[in-house]
Structures are given as C-alpha cells and as structure tokens.
C-alpha cells in the first residue's frame, strides 16, 4: 500500500502518517524529518535545507526528489510506505510518478487532510517535537506526562524553529501557491481521498482506515 499524505502545514499529516505506518507495518517517510535529522547532524544537505526551512520556503526540488526516489526503492518499502511532506510541488509529483512508472509501480492513495488556515496557527504554536526520536505532541491536545519531556524516549521537547507565527503564515502562503495544486493533480489521476482534519485525531484516523481498509 503506497500512500501520499497531503495537507497544509500543521494539518496533521505527520500525526496520521505515524499511525498509518504502525497499523499497516510500513515505513513512514517524512521529508521534513529527514531534513531536520540532517540539520541536527550538520550535514551539507542539512545546511542547505535550513536556509530555506527557516524562512518558511520549500527546499528546491533537486535536493528532495532523488532522496525520496532512492528511499522508496529500499527493501523495507517493498510492501508499501506512507510519504509525509512529499510531493509538495507538481514537478515533485511528476518526478515520483515517472520514477515509479519505470519500476512498473504507482501510488495507491493520496489522502488530503483538510484543515482551514484559521485552525492551523493555533495548532502550530502548541506543537512540541522531541529532539531525539521525532515524536510530536501538543501542549493542549496531546500533553506529555512530564512537561517538556518526551514520553517515548525521555529526551527534551522543543518548539520547531519554523513554528513561529510569522513563519507559519509564510508556510501557509507557500502551501496555497505550490502544494495545493496537487489536489487537482491527484483528483485527475483518480487517487485523491479527502478527510476532515479538524475533528479529533482518532476520528481522523478512523476516516482514513475506512478508506484504506482494515
Ligand atoms: P514538514 O516537516 O513536512 O512540515 P509541514 O508540511 O509544514 O507540516 P508539519 O510537519 O508542520 O505539519 P503536519 O501536517 O505534519 O502536522 P502534525 O501532525 O505535526 O516540512 C518542513 C519544511 O521542510 C518545509 O517548510 C520545507 O521547507 C521543507 N520540506 C519538507 N519536505 C519538502 C519537500 N518535499 N519539498 C520541499 N521542501 C520540503 O500536527 C500539527 C500539530 O497539531 C501537532 O502538535 C499535533 O499534535 C496537532 N494535531 C494533529 N492532528 C490534530 C487534530 N486532529 N486535532 C488537534 N490537534 C492535532
Ligand atoms: Mg509533519
């Protein structure tokens, strides 16, 4: 089962992608997490990506396409995968389709998690992410047992650099401009599915399971 998660920044793509990956035992591939891991490790890719991410801009297509196309051909992706944060532009979607077509393969579902812009800014200011394992929490909706400490691994939680309100507004503009056109792209290819992302995350997940099957 090969799945793409679509949605605005903060729509809950990462939250749902992790739940899908656990339920169906497939890898969760988040380009944002890959870039953040590279930034933490101080790699050249990380340094390049950071200059864009901190401004709320997209990293150039050429830095992300090969990375994902290589990743989905690894052995652990044979049964499927859930892509979170990729593709994010029409050229990225076309490059993925072309690479998969060469392998006689295709994406099965593009799930759009719909949340209006008004809800997004509130969510992002409350998000906290674990510096070590990448788990995400929300100070109101998913609090940790001990404030500021990851329940899963005990490491420190941080507010992402790009979750400051001014940067979130920029990310939303970039989303509407460059990523939203993918909704038409996947509608046209017949694999788009929509879920309401404003309801409780368990209900969002139930709607996704209805689409993907038990
Ligand atoms: P990325 O990490 O992908 O960020 P994003 O798309 O902006 O999405 P987020 O991770 O912010 O949100 P999400 O939808 O995963 O929401 P989450 O589940 O955490 O990318 C970061 C940057 O990297 C980009 O800006 C770009 O620069 C670069 N980049 C990455 N991929 C790229 C690509 N392909 N091309 C070019 N550049 C790329 O949820 C948000 C919060 O809400 C959490 O606190 C969560 O707990 C809470 N929440 C979730 N669901 C619910 C719910 N139903 N109700 C209440 N709260 C909820
Ligand atoms: Mg995410």
């Amino acid at each position: 089962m090969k799945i793409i998660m679509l949605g605005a920044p903060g729509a809950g793509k990462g939250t749902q992608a992790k739940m899908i990956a656990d339920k169906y035992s497939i890898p969760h591939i988040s380009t944002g997490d890959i870039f953040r891991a590279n930034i933490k490790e101080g790699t050249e890719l990380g340094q390049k990506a950071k200059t864009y991410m901190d401004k709320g801009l997209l990293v150039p297509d050429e830095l992300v396409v090969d990375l994902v196309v290589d990743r989905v051909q690894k052995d652990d992706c044979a049964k499927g995968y859930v892509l979170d944060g990729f593709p994010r532009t029409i050229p990225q979607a076309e490059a993925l389709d072309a690479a998969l077509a060469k392998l006689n393969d295709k994406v099965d579902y593009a799930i759009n998690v719909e949340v209006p812009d008004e809800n997004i800014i509130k969510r992002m200011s409350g998000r906290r992410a674990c510096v070590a394992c990448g788990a995400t929490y929300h100070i109101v909706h998913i609090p940790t047992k001990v404030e500021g400490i990851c329940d899963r691994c005990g490491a420190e939680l941080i507010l992402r650099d790009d979750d400051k309100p001014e940067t979130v507004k920029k990310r939303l503009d970039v989303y509407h401009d460059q990523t939203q056109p993918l909704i038409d792209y996947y509608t046209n290819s017949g694999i788009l599915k929509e879920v309401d992302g404003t309801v409780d995350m368990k209900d969002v997940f139930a709607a996704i399971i209805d689409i993907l099957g038990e």
Side-chain angles (χ1 to χ4, degrees):
M1 188 149 44
K2 284 142 194 161
I3 305 160
I4 289 171
M5 300 303 291
L6 294 176
K13 301 182 295 297
T15 303
Q16 298 300 327
K18 281 175 200 147
M19 292 159 87
I20 293 170
D22 283 349
K23 178 168 173 69
Y24 298 99
S25 303
I26 52 177
H28 166 212
I29 303 172
S30 156
T31 43
D33 288 352
I34 293 172
F35 289 136
R36 282 184 288 277
N38 274 273
I39 292 171
K40 203 172 142 217
E41 287 158 22
T43 67
E44 196 186 332
L45 175 66
Q47 284 168 8
K48 280 189 193 157
K50 189 173 187 341
T51 60
Y52 299 94
M53 290 170 73
D54 284 353
K55 293 188 195 120
L57 301 174
L58 295 185
V59 173
D61 291 340
E62 56 271 26
L63 290 183
V64 65
V65 167
D66 290 350
L67 187 143
V68 175
V69 167
D70 287 349
R71 180 66 187 85
V72 299
Q73 293 181 60
K74 296 265 190 284
D75 289 348
D76 64 336
C77 291
K79 268 179 40 194
Y81 43 80
V82 49
L83 290 178
D84 161 18
F86 182 95
R88 239 190 177 89
T89 62
I90 297 280
Q92 289 181 17
E94 289 171 345
L96 177 67
D97 279 352
L100 291 179
K102 272 194 204 158
L103 303 165
N104 254 327
D105 202 357
K106 60 175 182 49
V107 174
D108 302 303
Y109 300 96
I111 300 175
N112 183 37
V113 183
E114 274 194 83
V115 178
D117 287 8
E118 309 84 87
N119 302 31
I120 298 274
I121 299 187
K122 273 190 225 150
R123 277 196 190 177
M124 307 296 252
S125 56
R127 175 166 58 182
R128 296 294 180 272
C130 173
V131 286
C133 76
T136 47
Y137 301 91
H138 189 280
I139 50 176
V140 179
H141 305 294
I142 325 175
T144 47
K145 293 193 187 90
V146 181
E147 197 185 316
I149 301 295
C150 180
D151 285 349
R152 204 200 280 171
C153 76
E156 180 201 353
L157 301 183
I158 51 155
L159 177 70
R160 267 169 49 177
D161 284 342
D162 59 349
D163 278 350
K164 296 174 190 116
E166 350 37 289
T167 316
V168 172
K169 288 196 186 95
K170 180 69 198 170
R171 285 162 62 198
L172 279 169
D173 288 346
V174 168
Y175 166 76
H176 290 301
D177 192 37
Q178 300 193 55
T179 308
Q180 209 170 14
L182 291 176
I183 295 176
D184 284 344
Y185 180 93
Y186 289 114
T187 302
N188 292 337
S189 60
I191 62 165
L192 188 84
K193 305 283 175 189
E194 307 251 16
V195 294
D196 177 2
T198 62
V199 296
D200 188 276
M201 52 193 83
K202 289 188 205 73
D203 298 325
V204 180
F205 189 52
I208 292 177
I209 292 175
D210 275 348
I211 294 165
L212 301 178
E214 275 298 338

